[in-house]
DNA sequence: TCATTTACGGTACGGACCGTACCCTAAGTG
DNA sequence: CACTTAGGGTACGGTCCGTACCGTAAATGA
């Protein structure tokens, strides 16, 4: 399973081209990413695993980072939106999902990619979870239901407000290098920050 | 100013040792950091600029990252704590300071270092602004005064709550690769999230 | 004062990768 | 069945890390 080129060694060596080859490269790159992380994803190794060579890769992607981002996109999955019936439960569920994601190997890869992009927004934009509104969508959905139930204020239906909780959690990973945030932290973020923020609040003075 | 070894070329070449040499190396590394960023801070270049060689460096730091962190500490300065007389003014002032910091070359260096540490908490802890409570201190001070004035709720005097604003701003830098966050964003963070959060709030149901 | 130990400086090297170049050949194309 | 396009094999230059070795200046102490 590791290191086996996709080409059958002895069989009729039909030489892949175009899309077929591209998919093989992406699969190989994704495998390398999950096995060794972005730092360990070497162009030579990807080429070897895909049963091709560096030419075919550099003909398609300008550099290692671009390949890494493309490969990561194959690995990222969409988040299921919880519906526990009350806001707090949904919030904790979303936070736990994010916690699992960021503490998984996938999370480490994503952090490395973001770091390697070094603020190049045209590259960052290619990462699914950076697409801003894409990341905000589940939160807005959950909040929308809470607003309908009267649990949350309509003013909270604002991307920056809605995503506060997950941004705080992400900060835990970036600053502390924590492997996994303990559940206390999630509860604290929810109870001390997020829920007070989005619940119906009195109009504030001056 | 660039590339000049600290040793006078022709003069009596008194060979530096111990602390004197260590300081010279750190100065050279800090200069390289500001000139070329962390990615451009090469061990060879640091050694050349310090007028020494790689041995002297590797005898003191185990690798490039450790040297980078040590050098960065020399560059980081402490934040002045604003006192405008009202919470909103202080918050915006602190946010603007953070904005300047993160968008400066120093901010890029810090991001690269955090990224290179890749979650190694023993390294991250060496960075001044990661020391958690150190970063929270100005916010707690400003909030403390606001609480005394009756502008903020005492419950806000909690590191995780107090630092929410700057965490959100930092997120702007990490996710978007924005050079500088426009002032609108700071105002939005303050008015939409932070101030509603820390102002006196009614005890929440359930 | 002089032998001994310690720490620097010079230099070379192995090793890992990146990204590029060349050349041959299989796969598509008309 | 030419002809063009895209893969595959391979080699190479270049950069940088981290280590090793060896001669020598600086500290140490008898």
């Amino acid at each position: 399973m590791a290191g086996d080129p996709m080409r059958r060694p002895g069989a009729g060596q039909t030489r892949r081209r175009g899309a077929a080859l591209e998919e093989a490269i992406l699969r190989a790159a994704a495998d390398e990413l999950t096995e060794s992380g972005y730092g360990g994803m070497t162009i030579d190794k990807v080429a070897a695993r895909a049963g091709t060579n560096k030419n075919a890769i550099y003909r398609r992607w300008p550099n290692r980072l671009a390949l890494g981002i493309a490969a990561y996109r194959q690995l990222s999955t969409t988040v299921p939106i919880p519906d526990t019936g009350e806001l707090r439960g949904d919030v904790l569920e979303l936070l736990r999902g994010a916690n699992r994601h960021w503490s998984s190997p996938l999370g480490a890869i994503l952090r490395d990619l973001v770091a390697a992009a070094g603020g190049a927004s045209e590259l960052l934009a290619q990462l699914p979870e950076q697409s801003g509104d894409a990341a905000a969508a589940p939160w807005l959905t959950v909040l929308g239901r809470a607003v309908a139930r009267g649990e949350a204020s309509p003013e909270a239906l604002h991307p920056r407000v809605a995503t506060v909780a997950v941004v705080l959690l992400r900060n835990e990973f970036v600053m502390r290098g924590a492997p996994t945030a303990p559940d206390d932290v999630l509860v604290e973020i929810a109870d001390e920050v997020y829920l007070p923020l989005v619940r119906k609040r009195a109009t504030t003075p001056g």
Side-chain angles (χ1 to χ4, degrees), chain A:
Chain A
M1 185 172 281
D4 269 326
M6 300 308 281
R7 295 170 62 197
R8 289 61 93 233
Q13 51 271 64
T14 171
R15 187 188 273 186
R16 298 156 302 175
R17 292 170 81 99
L21 181 56
E22 183 152 337
E23 285 163 23
I25 293 173
L26 279 176
R27 249 197 313 276
D31 288 353
E32 283 294 325
L33 274 185
T34 51
E35 251 179 45
S36 321
Y38 176 64
M41 188 201 79
T42 287
I43 297 285
D44 298 77
K45 284 201 292 180
V46 171
R49 172 175 288 220
T52 179
N53 67 356
K54 297 199 284 185
N55 285 334
I57 295 178
Y58 280 109
R59 209 172 283 134
R60 293 174 166 80
W61 295 274
N63 50 46
R64 193 172 75 96
L65 174 58
L67 173 61
I69 289 176
Y72 176 83
R73 296 176 63 172
Q74 297 229 323
L75 294 173
S76 73
T77 59
T78 61
V79 197
I81 298 181
D83 189 0
T84 65
E86 63 159 7
L87 177 57
R88 186 170 186 274
D90 289 352
V91 167
L92 284 175
E93 221 30 61
L94 279 176
L95 280 178
R96 292 196 180 106
N99 195 22
R100 277 192 297 275
H101 180 73
W102 287 93
S103 62
S104 75
L106 232 59
I109 294 166
L110 178 56
R111 272 176 285 159
D112 286 349
L113 290 174
V114 170
S121 40
E122 77 279 7
L123 292 173
L124 289 173
Q126 313 221 15
L127 292 170
E129 31 270 282
Q130 322 299 318
S131 306
D133 304 321
W139 291 92
L140 288 172
T141 302
V142 158
L143 267 181
R145 287 199 292 250
V147 169
R149 271 186 242 114
E151 276 191 283
S153 157
E155 295 149 17
L157 292 173
H158 181 302
R160 194 174 312 277
V161 177
T163 57
V164 160
V166 72
V167 170
L168 293 189
L169 178 58
R170 177 156 53 225
N171 184 63
E172 286 292 309
F173 282 99
V174 175
M175 295 320 233
R176 328 233 183 276
T180 306
D183 209 66
D184 314 10
V185 172
L186 311 193
V187 170
E188 191 177 304
I189 288 175
D191 288 338
E192 303 287 329
V193 179
Y194 195 66
L195 293 177
L197 176 64
V198 302
R199 280 210 246 255
K200 285 182 186 293
R201 51 203 197 221
T203 40
T204 52

PDB file of all heavy atoms in Angstrom, chain A residues 10-38:
ATOM      1  N   GLY A  10       4.662  -5.491 -14.593  1.00  0.00           N
ATOM      2  CA  GLY A  10       4.943  -6.385 -15.704  1.00  0.00           C
ATOM      3  C   GLY A  10       3.932  -6.298 -16.824  1.00  0.00           C
ATOM      4  O   GLY A  10       4.229  -6.617 -17.957  1.00  0.00           O
ATOM      5  N   ALA A  11       2.727  -5.830 -16.475  1.00  0.00           N
ATOM      6  CA  ALA A  11       1.631  -5.868 -17.433  1.00  0.00           C
ATOM      7  C   ALA A  11       1.886  -4.941 -18.617  1.00  0.00           C
ATOM      8  O   ALA A  11       2.914  -4.277 -18.701  1.00  0.00           O
ATOM      9  CB  ALA A  11       0.322  -5.491 -16.758  1.00  0.00           C
ATOM     10  N   GLY A  12       0.912  -4.903 -19.482  1.00  0.00           N
ATOM     11  CA  GLY A  12       1.036  -4.003 -20.627  1.00  0.00           C
ATOM     12  C   GLY A  12       1.148  -2.569 -20.137  1.00  0.00           C
ATOM     13  O   GLY A  12       0.198  -2.019 -19.620  1.00  0.00           O
ATOM     14  N   GLN A  13       2.330  -1.987 -20.271  1.00  0.00           N
ATOM     15  CA  GLN A  13       2.529  -0.682 -19.663  1.00  0.00           C
ATOM     16  C   GLN A  13       1.922   0.432 -20.494  1.00  0.00           C
ATOM     17  O   GLN A  13       2.615   1.161 -21.173  1.00  0.00           O
ATOM     18  CB  GLN A  13       3.997  -0.401 -19.356  1.00  0.00           C
ATOM     19  CG  GLN A  13       4.969  -0.606 -20.487  1.00  0.00           C
ATOM     20  CD  GLN A  13       5.475  -2.017 -20.522  1.00  0.00           C
ATOM     21  OE1 GLN A  13       4.692  -2.940 -20.751  1.00  0.00           O
ATOM     22  NE2 GLN A  13       6.757  -2.221 -20.328  1.00  0.00           N
ATOM     23  N   THR A  14       0.598   0.464 -20.423  1.00  0.00           N
ATOM     24  CA  THR A  14      -0.091   1.531 -21.127  1.00  0.00           C
ATOM     25  C   THR A  14       0.277   2.854 -20.470  1.00  0.00           C
ATOM     26  O   THR A  14       0.054   3.050 -19.289  1.00  0.00           O
ATOM     27  CB  THR A  14      -1.613   1.295 -21.102  1.00  0.00           C
ATOM     28  OG1 THR A  14      -2.246   2.446 -21.615  1.00  0.00           O
ATOM     29  CG2 THR A  14      -2.126   1.028 -19.716  1.00  0.00           C
ATOM     30  N   ARG A  15       0.826   3.723 -21.226  1.00  0.00           N
ATOM     31  CA  ARG A  15       1.329   4.985 -20.663  1.00  0.00           C
ATOM     32  C   ARG A  15       0.191   5.986 -20.476  1.00  0.00           C
ATOM     33  O   ARG A  15      -0.447   6.381 -21.446  1.00  0.00           O
ATOM     34  CB  ARG A  15       2.386   5.567 -21.610  1.00  0.00           C
ATOM     35  CG  ARG A  15       3.078   6.766 -21.060  1.00  0.00           C
ATOM     36  CD  ARG A  15       3.956   7.397 -22.110  1.00  0.00           C
ATOM     37  NE  ARG A  15       5.286   6.806 -22.155  1.00  0.00           N
ATOM     38  CZ  ARG A  15       6.255   7.289 -22.934  1.00  0.00           C
ATOM     39  NH1 ARG A  15       6.026   8.330 -23.710  1.00  0.00           N
ATOM     40  NH2 ARG A  15       7.432   6.739 -22.926  1.00  0.00           N
ATOM     41  N   ARG A  16      -0.060   6.367 -19.227  1.00  0.00           N
ATOM     42  CA  ARG A  16      -1.197   7.258 -18.956  1.00  0.00           C
ATOM     43  C   ARG A  16      -0.894   8.674 -19.407  1.00  0.00           C
ATOM     44  O   ARG A  16       0.248   9.126 -19.395  1.00  0.00           O
ATOM     45  CB  ARG A  16      -1.513   7.262 -17.468  1.00  0.00           C
ATOM     46  CG  ARG A  16      -1.921   5.926 -16.923  1.00  0.00           C
ATOM     47  CD  ARG A  16      -1.656   5.882 -15.459  1.00  0.00           C
ATOM     48  NE  ARG A  16      -0.231   6.136 -15.204  1.00  0.00           N
ATOM     49  CZ  ARG A  16       0.279   6.263 -13.998  1.00  0.00           C
ATOM     50  NH1 ARG A  16      -0.488   6.183 -12.945  1.00  0.00           N
ATOM     51  NH2 ARG A  16       1.556   6.487 -13.850  1.00  0.00           N
ATOM     52  N   ARG A  17      -1.959   9.367 -19.761  1.00  0.00           N
ATOM     53  CA  ARG A  17      -1.820  10.760 -20.195  1.00  0.00           C
ATOM     54  C   ARG A  17      -2.941  11.594 -19.609  1.00  0.00           C
ATOM     55  O   ARG A  17      -3.922  11.072 -19.102  1.00  0.00           O
ATOM     56  CB  ARG A  17      -1.925  10.863 -21.719  1.00  0.00           C
ATOM     57  CG  ARG A  17      -0.797  10.253 -22.462  1.00  0.00           C
ATOM     58  CD  ARG A  17      -1.147  10.203 -23.930  1.00  0.00           C
ATOM     59  NE  ARG A  17      -0.910  11.487 -24.577  1.00  0.00           N
ATOM     60  CZ  ARG A  17       0.175  11.771 -25.286  1.00  0.00           C
ATOM     61  NH1 ARG A  17       1.093  10.874 -25.425  1.00  0.00           N
ATOM     62  NH2 ARG A  17       0.316  12.944 -25.847  1.00  0.00           N
ATOM     63  N   GLY A  18      -2.792  12.888 -19.748  1.00  0.00           N
ATOM     64  CA  GLY A  18      -3.886  13.817 -19.435  1.00  0.00           C
ATOM     65  C   GLY A  18      -4.524  13.587 -18.085  1.00  0.00           C
ATOM     66  O   GLY A  18      -3.850  13.444 -17.071  1.00  0.00           O
ATOM     67  N   ALA A  19      -5.844  13.520 -18.093  1.00  0.00           N
ATOM     68  CA  ALA A  19      -6.593  13.467 -16.845  1.00  0.00           C
ATOM     69  C   ALA A  19      -6.221  12.249 -16.009  1.00  0.00           C
ATOM     70  O   ALA A  19      -6.078  12.350 -14.784  1.00  0.00           O
ATOM     71  CB  ALA A  19      -8.086  13.474 -17.148  1.00  0.00           C
ATOM     72  N   ALA A  20      -6.062  11.105 -16.662  1.00  0.00           N
ATOM     73  CA  ALA A  20      -5.762   9.893 -15.901  1.00  0.00           C
ATOM     74  C   ALA A  20      -4.471  10.066 -15.108  1.00  0.00           C
ATOM     75  O   ALA A  20      -4.387   9.734 -13.920  1.00  0.00           O
ATOM     76  CB  ALA A  20      -5.645   8.707 -16.857  1.00  0.00           C
ATOM     77  N   LEU A  21      -3.466  10.608 -15.775  1.00  0.00           N
ATOM     78  CA  LEU A  21      -2.190  10.808 -15.107  1.00  0.00           C
ATOM     79  C   LEU A  21      -2.318  11.853 -14.008  1.00  0.00           C
ATOM     80  O   LEU A  21      -1.793  11.693 -12.907  1.00  0.00           O
ATOM     81  CB  LEU A  21      -1.142  11.227 -16.135  1.00  0.00           C
ATOM     82  CG  LEU A  21       0.263  11.457 -15.579  1.00  0.00           C
ATOM     83  CD1 LEU A  21       0.764  10.226 -14.859  1.00  0.00           C
ATOM     84  CD2 LEU A  21       1.212  11.853 -16.697  1.00  0.00           C
ATOM     85  N   GLU A  22      -3.040  12.890 -14.300  1.00  0.00           N
ATOM     86  CA  GLU A  22      -3.210  13.956 -13.324  1.00  0.00           C
ATOM     87  C   GLU A  22      -3.866  13.436 -12.048  1.00  0.00           C
ATOM     88  O   GLU A  22      -3.456  13.757 -10.933  1.00  0.00           O
ATOM     89  CB  GLU A  22      -4.061  15.084 -13.931  1.00  0.00           C
ATOM     90  CG  GLU A  22      -4.222  16.265 -12.999  1.00  0.00           C
ATOM     91  CD  GLU A  22      -4.418  17.551 -13.786  1.00  0.00           C
ATOM     92  OE1 GLU A  22      -4.008  17.601 -14.960  1.00  0.00           O
ATOM     93  OE2 GLU A  22      -4.979  18.494 -13.220  1.00  0.00           O
ATOM     94  N   GLU A  23      -4.879  12.609 -12.231  1.00  0.00           N
ATOM     95  CA  GLU A  23      -5.531  12.034 -11.055  1.00  0.00           C
ATOM     96  C   GLU A  23      -4.586  11.152 -10.279  1.00  0.00           C
ATOM     97  O   GLU A  23      -4.572  11.161  -9.049  1.00  0.00           O
ATOM     98  CB  GLU A  23      -6.761  11.234 -11.487  1.00  0.00           C
ATOM     99  CG  GLU A  23      -7.942  12.109 -11.881  1.00  0.00           C
ATOM    100  CD  GLU A  23      -8.978  11.327 -12.688  1.00  0.00           C
ATOM    101  OE1 GLU A  23      -8.993  10.081 -12.563  1.00  0.00           O
ATOM    102  OE2 GLU A  23      -9.739  11.968 -13.436  1.00  0.00           O
ATOM    103  N   ALA A  24      -3.789  10.380 -11.000  1.00  0.00           N
ATOM    104  CA  ALA A  24      -2.845   9.504 -10.316  1.00  0.00           C
ATOM    105  C   ALA A  24      -1.860  10.331  -9.496  1.00  0.00           C
ATOM    106  O   ALA A  24      -1.525   9.984  -8.361  1.00  0.00           O
ATOM    107  CB  ALA A  24      -2.104   8.648 -11.335  1.00  0.00           C
ATOM    108  N   ILE A  25      -1.415  11.430 -10.077  1.00  0.00           N
ATOM    109  CA  ILE A  25      -0.474  12.287  -9.342  1.00  0.00           C
ATOM    110  C   ILE A  25      -1.138  12.856  -8.095  1.00  0.00           C
ATOM    111  O   ILE A  25      -0.559  12.843  -7.003  1.00  0.00           O
ATOM    112  CB  ILE A  25       0.021  13.423 -10.261  1.00  0.00           C
ATOM    113  CG1 ILE A  25       0.872  12.859 -11.401  1.00  0.00           C
ATOM    114  CG2 ILE A  25       0.837  14.424  -9.452  1.00  0.00           C
ATOM    115  CD1 ILE A  25       1.258  13.897 -12.441  1.00  0.00           C
ATOM    116  N   LEU A  26      -2.360  13.334  -8.260  1.00  0.00           N
ATOM    117  CA  LEU A  26      -3.041  13.916  -7.108  1.00  0.00           C
ATOM    118  C   LEU A  26      -3.270  12.866  -6.024  1.00  0.00           C
ATOM    119  O   LEU A  26      -3.127  13.160  -4.834  1.00  0.00           O
ATOM    120  CB  LEU A  26      -4.371  14.533  -7.536  1.00  0.00           C
ATOM    121  CG  LEU A  26      -4.243  15.918  -8.160  1.00  0.00           C
ATOM    122  CD1 LEU A  26      -5.594  16.417  -8.633  1.00  0.00           C
ATOM    123  CD2 LEU A  26      -3.652  16.894  -7.148  1.00  0.00           C
ATOM    124  N   ARG A  27      -3.627  11.671  -6.447  1.00  0.00           N
ATOM    125  CA  ARG A  27      -3.821  10.616  -5.451  1.00  0.00           C
ATOM    126  C   ARG A  27      -2.517  10.350  -4.720  1.00  0.00           C
ATOM    127  O   ARG A  27      -2.482  10.244  -3.499  1.00  0.00           O
ATOM    128  CB  ARG A  27      -4.320   9.335  -6.127  1.00  0.00           C
ATOM    129  CG  ARG A  27      -5.764   8.978  -5.783  1.00  0.00           C
ATOM    130  CD  ARG A  27      -6.058   7.512  -6.138  1.00  0.00           C
ATOM    131  NE  ARG A  27      -5.571   7.161  -7.481  1.00  0.00           N
ATOM    132  CZ  ARG A  27      -6.259   7.393  -8.592  1.00  0.00           C
ATOM    133  NH1 ARG A  27      -7.442   7.963  -8.534  1.00  0.00           N
ATOM    134  NH2 ARG A  27      -5.757   7.047  -9.773  1.00  0.00           N
ATOM    135  N   ALA A  28      -1.447  10.235  -5.491  1.00  0.00           N
ATOM    136  CA  ALA A  28      -0.152   9.974  -4.870  1.00  0.00           C
ATOM    137  C   ALA A  28       0.231  11.109  -3.911  1.00  0.00           C
ATOM    138  O   ALA A  28       0.711  10.878  -2.798  1.00  0.00           O
ATOM    139  CB  ALA A  28       0.919   9.819  -5.951  1.00  0.00           C
ATOM    140  N   ALA A  29       0.000  12.331  -4.343  1.00  0.00           N
ATOM    141  CA  ALA A  29       0.339  13.470  -3.488  1.00  0.00           C
ATOM    142  C   ALA A  29      -0.491  13.452  -2.219  1.00  0.00           C
ATOM    143  O   ALA A  29       0.017  13.702  -1.119  1.00  0.00           O
ATOM    144  CB  ALA A  29       0.135  14.774  -4.256  1.00  0.00           C
ATOM    145  N   ALA A  30      -1.777  13.152  -2.364  1.00  0.00           N
ATOM    146  CA  ALA A  30      -2.636  13.093  -1.191  1.00  0.00           C
ATOM    147  C   ALA A  30      -2.162  11.997  -0.240  1.00  0.00           C
ATOM    148  O   ALA A  30      -2.144  12.187   0.984  1.00  0.00           O
ATOM    149  CB  ALA A  30      -4.083  12.844  -1.618  1.00  0.00           C
ATOM    150  N   ASP A  31      -1.761  10.880  -0.786  1.00  0.00           N
ATOM    151  CA  ASP A  31      -1.252   9.806   0.066  1.00  0.00           C
ATOM    152  C   ASP A  31       0.009  10.248   0.805  1.00  0.00           C
ATOM    153  O   ASP A  31       0.170   9.998   1.999  1.00  0.00           O
ATOM    154  CB  ASP A  31      -0.944   8.562  -0.783  1.00  0.00           C
ATOM    155  CG  ASP A  31      -2.214   7.869  -1.257  1.00  0.00           C
ATOM    156  OD1 ASP A  31      -3.307   8.268  -0.812  1.00  0.00           O
ATOM    157  OD2 ASP A  31      -2.108   6.940  -2.079  1.00  0.00           O
ATOM    158  N   GLU A  32       0.882  10.906   0.078  1.00  0.00           N
ATOM    159  CA  GLU A  32       2.110  11.382   0.715  1.00  0.00           C
ATOM    160  C   GLU A  32       1.776  12.385   1.821  1.00  0.00           C
ATOM    161  O   GLU A  32       2.399  12.381   2.880  1.00  0.00           O
ATOM    162  CB  GLU A  32       3.026  12.040  -0.316  1.00  0.00           C
ATOM    163  CG  GLU A  32       3.768  11.050  -1.195  1.00  0.00           C
ATOM    164  CD  GLU A  32       4.770  10.211  -0.407  1.00  0.00           C
ATOM    165  OE1 GLU A  32       5.369  10.749   0.530  1.00  0.00           O
ATOM    166  OE2 GLU A  32       4.925   9.024  -0.732  1.00  0.00           O
ATOM    167  N   LEU A  33       0.820  13.239   1.546  1.00  0.00           N
ATOM    168  CA  LEU A  33       0.427  14.219   2.549  1.00  0.00           C
ATOM    169  C   LEU A  33      -0.040  13.524   3.828  1.00  0.00           C
ATOM    170  O   LEU A  33       0.410  13.865   4.929  1.00  0.00           O
ATOM    171  CB  LEU A  33      -0.699  15.111   2.026  1.00  0.00           C
ATOM    172  CG  LEU A  33      -0.311  16.343   1.218  1.00  0.00           C
ATOM    173  CD1 LEU A  33      -1.555  17.149   0.896  1.00  0.00           C
ATOM    174  CD2 LEU A  33       0.672  17.210   1.995  1.00  0.00           C
ATOM    175  N   THR A  34      -0.915  12.575   3.684  1.00  0.00           N
ATOM    176  CA  THR A  34      -1.447  11.936   4.884  1.00  0.00           C
ATOM    177  C   THR A  34      -0.386  11.098   5.576  1.00  0.00           C
ATOM    178  O   THR A  34      -0.382  10.978   6.791  1.00  0.00           O
ATOM    179  CB  THR A  34      -2.648  11.034   4.539  1.00  0.00           C
ATOM    180  OG1 THR A  34      -2.272  10.162   3.479  1.00  0.00           O
ATOM    181  CG2 THR A  34      -3.824  11.851   4.068  1.00  0.00           C
ATOM    182  N   GLU A  35       0.527  10.553   4.802  1.00  0.00           N
ATOM    183  CA  GLU A  35       1.552   9.711   5.424  1.00  0.00           C
ATOM    184  C   GLU A  35       2.633  10.531   6.102  1.00  0.00           C
ATOM    185  O   GLU A  35       3.049  10.238   7.222  1.00  0.00           O
ATOM    186  CB  GLU A  35       2.206   8.833   4.361  1.00  0.00           C
ATOM    187  CG  GLU A  35       1.841   7.377   4.480  1.00  0.00           C
ATOM    188  CD  GLU A  35       2.500   6.570   3.375  1.00  0.00           C
ATOM    189  OE1 GLU A  35       3.696   6.775   3.126  1.00  0.00           O
ATOM    190  OE2 GLU A  35       1.805   5.746   2.751  1.00  0.00           O
ATOM    191  N   SER A  36       3.115  11.542   5.407  1.00  0.00           N
ATOM    192  CA  SER A  36       4.314  12.244   5.879  1.00  0.00           C
ATOM    193  C   SER A  36       4.092  13.717   6.143  1.00  0.00           C
ATOM    194  O   SER A  36       5.023  14.418   6.521  1.00  0.00           O
ATOM    195  CB  SER A  36       5.434  12.102   4.841  1.00  0.00           C
ATOM    196  OG  SER A  36       5.437  10.803   4.278  1.00  0.00           O
ATOM    197  N   GLY A  37       2.883  14.200   5.925  1.00  0.00           N
ATOM    198  CA  GLY A  37       2.643  15.628   6.106  1.00  0.00           C
ATOM    199  C   GLY A  37       3.192  16.426   4.938  1.00  0.00           C
ATOM    200  O   GLY A  37       3.847  15.875   4.041  1.00  0.00           O
ATOM    201  N   TYR A  38       2.938  17.712   4.980  1.00  0.00           N
ATOM    202  CA  TYR A  38       3.376  18.536   3.856  1.00  0.00           C
ATOM    203  C   TYR A  38       4.896  18.609   3.773  1.00  0.00           C
ATOM    204  O   TYR A  38       5.477  18.545   2.698  1.00  0.00           O
ATOM    205  CB  TYR A  38       2.794  19.947   3.978  1.00  0.00           C
ATOM    206  CG  TYR A  38       3.292  20.881   2.907  1.00  0.00           C
ATOM    207  CD1 TYR A  38       2.991  20.651   1.579  1.00  0.00           C
ATOM    208  CD2 TYR A  38       4.099  21.967   3.223  1.00  0.00           C
ATOM    209  CE1 TYR A  38       3.460  21.484   0.585  1.00  0.00           C
ATOM    210  CE2 TYR A  38       4.570  22.813   2.232  1.00  0.00           C
ATOM    211  CZ  TYR A  38       4.259  22.567   0.922  1.00  0.00           C
ATOM    212  OH  TYR A  38       4.734  23.396  -0.055  1.00  0.00           O
TER     213      TYR A  38
END
